[in-house]
Amino acid sequence: MKGTLYVVATPIGNLADASPRALEVLRSVELIACEDTRVTRTLLARNGIERPLVALHEHNEREAAAKILEVLASGRSAALVSDAGTPAISDPGAHLVARAHREGARVSPVPGPSAAAAAYSAAGFGEARFFFAGFLPASGAARRKALEALDAPWPIVLYEAPHRIERTLLDLAERLGAEREVAIGRELTKKFEETVRLPLGEAPAWLAAVPQRAQGEFVLVLAPGAEKAAPAALDADGVLDALLEALAPSEAAKIAARITGLPKNELYRRALARRK
Ligand code: SAM
């Protein structure tokens, strides 16, 4: 299979963010897989591009992927875009990309806008690492578990839908503490863009302060939580002494190794010495 699947990032609001290379690639391919054909057609029309589109979304990813793979198998190239930002990041496309790899096509990213990278770069947490958590589950045990996992010592990037942003800010403040800082990127690259950094406890009031604010698109970047203290080191000799009251040195060493994580041989040697 000689064709190339280009994974092309498109604007997250400001159409001028489509890169010259992204447009050149979209103009050159045989077929473009997209989420909503109306959204992609608007982007293409604005740039004078006319290419055939195939809708590829959660519910038809397999069938749509088959059409793209046919193109690639014939040695021609195709592109994958989503409605906004980078495909396969909280967006459809990963299934097609994985199949293209399996079937021997070349896969080539055409990088560009992504709401996660844009929000993180404007948050200023400056850590060497961050965790991309995508969307939180909407409710139930899955949501509680996901919220718990956010109590981590590195920055975390979350996407959220407008109808859930208020609930999510309240849940985050409750779970992580009102003092924990959050950077909120709203309507990035668009007319009413805002990026603010404030304690989670103040975020619901910030949201409510302007009536139409909750309508926008949001990325949340949580400041890193405090590093958790390592569990106190176990006193291996104390553990051995307690076990030696009831057990032979070899048995005591075996159990002490399980409790302390230290090597059994070393603990056996120590147990013999302590028995003397
Ligand atoms: N794949 C896309 C990307 O790389 O940016 C993300 C797609 S995801 C379905 C859509 C979510 O991204 C929105 O709910 C919002 O959380 C975030 N988002 C997209 N555009 C945004 C923008 N202009 N400003 C803030 N957040 C945005």
Side-chain angles (χ1 to χ4, degrees), residues 16-40:
D17 286 340
S19 76
R21 190 161 84 91
L23 297 175
E24 184 193 311
V25 164
L26 292 175
R27 191 171 279 119
S28 72
V29 292
E30 187 72 23
L31 183 61
I32 301 172
C34 62
E35 266 188 281
D36 182 335
T37 50
R38 287 164 304 181
V39 172
T40 301

Side-chain angles (χ1 to χ4, degrees), residues 99-116:
R99 281 189 61 187
H101 279 296
R102 271 205 303 276
E103 297 188 20
R106 187 171 157 255
V107 177
S108 174
V110 182
S114 176

Side-chain angles (χ1 to χ4, degrees), residues 125-160:
F125 290 125
E127 298 278 320
R129 57 191 173 163
F130 71 89
F131 180 74
F132 174 64
F135 289 96
L136 285 172
S139 60
R143 183 171 173 92
R144 276 197 301 282
K145 213 168 144 198
L147 281 163
E148 264 163 44
L150 302 182
D151 196 3
W154 41 78
I156 295 174
V157 178
L158 289 164
Y159 284 162
E160 195 44 285

Side-chain angles (χ1 to χ4, degrees), residues 17-236:
D17 286 340
S19 76
R21 190 161 84 91
L23 297 175
E24 184 193 311
V25 164
L26 292 175
R27 191 171 279 119
S28 72
V29 292
E30 187 72 23
L31 183 61
I32 301 172
C34 62
E35 266 188 281
D36 182 335
T37 50
R38 287 164 304 181
V39 172
T40 301
R41 232 183 275 289
T42 304
L43 176 72
L44 296 186
R46 198 190 130 99
N47 293 284
I49 300 172
E50 263 184 58
R51 299 311 303 145
L53 302 177
V54 53
L56 178 149
H57 41 73
E58 242 190 293
H59 306 293
N60 77 342
E61 199 165 353
R62 274 161 206 286
E63 306 89 86
K67 293 198 180 122
I68 295 285
L69 290 162
E70 242 173 66
V71 168
L72 299 174
S74 71
R76 293 165 298 163
S77 295
L80 166 68
V81 297
S82 61
D83 282 352
T86 302
I89 298 182
S90 295
D91 262 343
H95 169 81
L96 168 61
V97 172
R99 281 189 61 187
H101 279 296
R102 271 205 303 276
E103 297 188 20
R106 187 171 157 255
V107 177
S108 174
V110 182
S114 176
Y120 187 73
S121 69
F125 290 125
E127 298 278 320
R129 57 191 173 163
F130 71 89
F131 180 74
F132 174 64
F135 289 96
L136 285 172
S139 60
R143 183 171 173 92
R144 276 197 301 282
K145 213 168 144 198
L147 281 163
E148 264 163 44
L150 302 182
D151 196 3
W154 41 78
I156 295 174
V157 178
L158 289 164
Y159 284 162
E160 195 44 285
H163 63 284
R164 276 206 208 102
I165 187 70
E166 189 191 356
R167 177 75 265 151
T168 291
L169 289 172
L170 291 167
D171 286 353
L172 290 170
E174 192 191 347
R175 181 68 193 83
L176 305 172
E179 302 301 308
R180 176 88 156 255
E181 219 181 351
V182 63
I184 305 177
R186 172 179 178 272
E187 294 287 272
L188 298 174
T189 78
K190 303 187 205 176
K191 190 168 173 194
F192 297 107
E193 170 185 314
E194 298 177 272
T195 298
V196 291
R197 245 174 88 155
L198 71 187
L200 273 172
E202 292 172 20
W206 172 84
L207 189 69
V210 179
Q212 61 276 30
R213 201 169 248 163
Q215 313 287 299
E217 292 204 89
F218 292 90
V219 183
L220 305 177
V221 187
L222 294 166
E227 210 55 77
K228 292 213 177 50
L234 278 171
D235 167 16

